[in-house]
Amino acid sequence: SAANIGVVGLAVMGSNLARNLASREGNTVAVYNRSREKTDALVAEHPEAGFIPSFSYEEFAASLTTPRTAIIMVKAGRGTDAVIDELVKVFEPGDIIVDGGNAYFPDTIRREKAVRETGINFVGAGISGGEEGALNGPSIMPGGSDESWVTLGPILTSIAAVAEGEPCVTHIGHNGAGHFVKMVHNGIEYADMQLIAEAYDLIRRGTGKTPAEIADIFTDWNGGELESYLIEITAEVLRQIDAETGKPLVDVILDQAGAKGTGAWTVQTALSLGVPVSGIAEATFARSLSSHPEQRRVAAALPGPDSTFEVDDVDAFVEDVRQALFASKIIAYSQGFDEIRAGAEEYDWSIDLGAVAKIWRAGCIIRAQFLNRIADAYAEEPGLPVLATAPYFADSIARGQGAWRRVVVAAAQAGIPAPAFSSSLAYYDGIRADRLPAALVQGQRDFFGAHTYKRIDKPGTFHTDWSGDRTESEAEDTH
Ligand code: NDP
């Protein structure tokens, strides 16, 4: 037994993670895959890594020093359960099983509970950054027990991305906390991508600029407060010319966006937690809407403006869109962090929101300088109830909100869908409103369902006798 860490599952993610681990000082990596071909290929292609291959779970366990630590990188779902069942048979109390796949956090909570009964530690770790990140340094979001972190912490720290000298990994919280945070990361990613796509669409339709010209705008934006990996790759995608047709590639790609489900998980979870992540929801729905060609074909006959408009001052409009994008982005992140805060409360995790922002600064898809501002905001006020109210963000929105409103109006008038821009603005105006029409909704609910209401001027719960003499009486609090 000579390996301090093992990897089970040697498809693209697992083999890259294994190579990353092996390249770091002090690690010796045991590898196992269900079908032996992948193990043989990896070991043959990377002799420099010094992998210890094994071809049964017994052999795999025997090749690890104790406490045995293994990272599972297999197809999420049943594959993960199958591997856990096997590892539990050959591991001992105190050993550590890490699931690095994209698990749904309730599954992680369930698995952690079941594995804990054997005395073995189970850690659900969100790993972001795709193939490239797995090989060169991902952002890692591990959950699990404090005990497991003692052994696992240094190993994960050795392979994580580094941002401004700090490793992009932190112990997020117990059981499902890591996969929960990874889920919200992906939800924020959906919102960020949709907002960028709406900005591109508005500029193109409003100014007639070509994709390549808009690419230059994004490159320019990338030098400012919008600096991020997603803005950077957007410019590259827009600049790409299709070899076959000579057209911009973006004009040849079918406009139906796919999804693997993490955005939907984020929204479903937010709905049950009662957290309004409208930006993420609109981004997820925008992908769904795009992916129904049969509906879009028949609906194309519906009347409305033709989605073209002409702006008088091109530079001013582009700057308006930039500010609208930044303001909407602040709202999307504010909503995402609100979901993490609510999840931590619901599941009893103590999550350091500032630390989460910091480990997203490198290695993952939403990596950006901007995350430093979020970390600063939580350092200043750890209990901040609405991230967007932190001075830096509130000031940015104050400066940009005129532009934001102009852009949303322009989109609505021209008949251009901008669901993420406009829903973020509606959230902003809703959360800052001194009085909401929710009062009327409460009246309606009391009318048809005797759901009762509270009053602004005295304590207690009340009901109006709507079907009788319409007098008000104090009611029992039925929520
Ligand atoms: P896949 O999701 O394609 O899974 C293939 C691997 O799973 C193979 O090694 C396969 O073994 C193994 N496997 C499947 N079922 C079983 C089973 N019942 N028992 C044992 N092994 C099984 O691999 P990827 O490398 O693409 O992804 C691995 C994980 O990482 C997934 O959870 C995925 O969601 C996540 N991922 C994360 C990304 C990120 O950016 N964070 C990007 C891509 C993936 P065999 O060779 O024998 O078939």
Side-chain angles (χ1 to χ4, degrees):
S1 68
N4 65 317
I5 179 78
V7 177
V8 178
L10 303 176
V12 54
M13 287 295 288
S15 51
N16 279 0
L17 202 71
R19 288 172 57 201
N20 185 351
L21 283 161
S23 72
R24 311 292 165 156
E25 190 72 34
N27 288 335
T28 304
V29 186
V31 290
Y32 172 81
N33 192 70
R34 178 179 59 179
S35 50
R36 107 166 256 155
E37 296 74 29
K38 283 197 182 71
T39 312
D40 288 336
L42 179 67
V43 172
E45 281 162 30
H46 296 283
E48 80 288 350
F51 290 128
I52 302 181
S54 46
F55 301 97
S56 70
Y57 284 102
E58 289 77 11
E59 222 186 312
F60 179 71
S63 65
L64 287 162
T65 54
T66 54
R68 295 179 190 83
T69 307
I71 303 178
I72 305 174
M73 286 306 281
V74 302
K75 201 166 179 56
R78 266 191 224 132
T80 311
D81 283 317
V83 174
I84 292 170
D85 288 348
E86 296 300 328
L87 285 178
V88 163
K89 288 182 204 156
V90 295
F91 273 24
E92 291 171 319
D95 290 349
I96 304 163
I97 299 174
V98 184
D99 174 19
N102 266 336
Y104 184 35
F105 78 93
D107 289 336
T108 303
I109 293 176
R110 166 180 62 78
R111 288 169 182 147
E112 197 275 339
K113 191 157 175 271
V115 172
R116 182 162 20 99
E117 277 164 23
T118 68
I120 297 168
N121 292 289
F122 182 78
V123 174
I127 300 183
S128 177
E131 293 174 37
E132 204 269 344
L135 182 60
N136 298 316
S139 171
I140 311 176
M141 294 149 258
S145 67
D146 297 340
E147 183 196 346
S148 57
W149 184 243
V150 175
T151 307
L152 196 56
I155 296 172
L156 295 183
T157 301
S158 76
I159 58 163
V162 176
E164 298 171 36
E166 295 173 286
C168 291
V169 57
T170 189
H171 186 205
I172 302 281
H174 292 165
N175 58 52
H179 277 135
F180 184 96
V181 166
K182 170 71 191 332
M183 172 188 79
V184 176
H185 163 282
N186 285 29
I188 293 173
E189 174 186 313
Y190 274 54
D192 218 339
M193 292 168 70
Q194 175 67 22
L195 288 168
I196 292 171
E198 290 177 16
Y200 148 77
D201 197 34
L202 283 159
I203 292 177
R204 189 156 183 196
R205 292 181 188 280
T207 69
K209 285 181 185 290
T210 65
E213 287 166 340
I214 300 173
D216 291 342
I217 292 173
F218 279 103
T219 300
D220 180 43
W221 288 358
N222 203 37
E225 60 198 356
L226 280 166
E227 180 282 330
S228 66
Y229 170 72
L230 282 171
I231 292 279
E232 181 190 326
I233 66 162
T234 297
E236 294 205 27
V237 173
L238 290 175
R239 233 172 247 133
Q240 185 73 14
I241 299 297
D242 175 44
E244 217 166 292
T245 59
K247 292 182 184 167
L249 181 66
V250 72
D251 288 347
V252 187
I253 297 176
L254 191 66
D255 61 344
Q256 296 174 21
K260 280 192 174 168
T262 46
W265 288 347
T266 312
V267 179
Q268 281 160 354
T269 304
L271 286 171
S272 30
L273 291 170
V275 181
V277 292
S278 50
I280 299 170
E282 288 297 351
T284 309
F285 287 139
R287 292 196 192 184
S288 317
L289 184 151
S290 76
S291 305
H292 289 286
E294 66 301 337
Q295 291 185 334
R296 291 175 61 189
R297 211 167 23 248
V298 294
L302 293 172
D306 69 355
S307 319
T308 54
F309 65 113
E310 230 172 281
V311 299
D312 302 332
D313 184 337
V314 169
D315 290 344
F317 179 70
V318 169
E319 175 57 14
D320 271 5
V321 174
R322 190 191 68 80
Q323 298 209 18
L325 176 55
F326 193 56
S328 304
K329 174 173 167 145
I330 290 170
I331 296 303
Y333 281 68
S334 187
Q335 293 177 340
F337 276 83
D338 195 20
E339 179 163 354
I340 298 176
R341 186 198 48 73
E345 222 163 85
E346 173 73 17
Y347 296 101
D348 213 8
W349 297 319
S350 110
I351 299 182
D352 177 343
L353 298 175
V356 169
K358 283 191 160 194
I359 65 165
W360 289 347
R361 288 176 302 169
C364 65
I365 306 301
I366 64 171
R367 59 185 183 257
Q369 292 292 329
F370 173 77
L371 289 153
N372 275 317
R373 301 300 193 160
I374 297 179
D376 292 347
Y378 286 117
E380 189 78 18
E381 195 185 337
L384 191 65
V386 179
L387 179 59
T389 63
Y392 172 78
F393 298 124
D395 290 350
S396 299
I397 295 178
R399 255 181 284 117
Q401 67 164 309
W404 196 10
R405 294 178 195 284
R406 283 192 294 277
V407 168
V408 169
V409 167
Q413 276 178 339
I416 299 167
F421 272 19
S422 50
S423 72
S424 305
L425 181 57
Y427 171 89
Y428 177 73
D429 285 332
I431 202 84
R432 70 182 193 87
D434 64 332
R435 188 105 181 113
L436 290 167
L440 177 58
V441 172
Q442 283 296 81
Q444 294 164 330
R445 293 179 69 242
D446 189 55
F447 189 106
F448 65 69
H451 293 303
T452 74
Y453 52 86
K454 293 188 187 300
R455 296 179 54 102
I456 59 171
D457 52 0
K458 55 184 175 188
T461 303
F462 301 89
H463 168 62
T464 288
D465 181 14
W466 296 102
S467 51
D469 62 5
R470 304 215 165 178
T471 54
E472 181 180 80
S473 56
E474 194 142 1
E476 279 199 9
D477 194 345
T478 56
H479 303 292

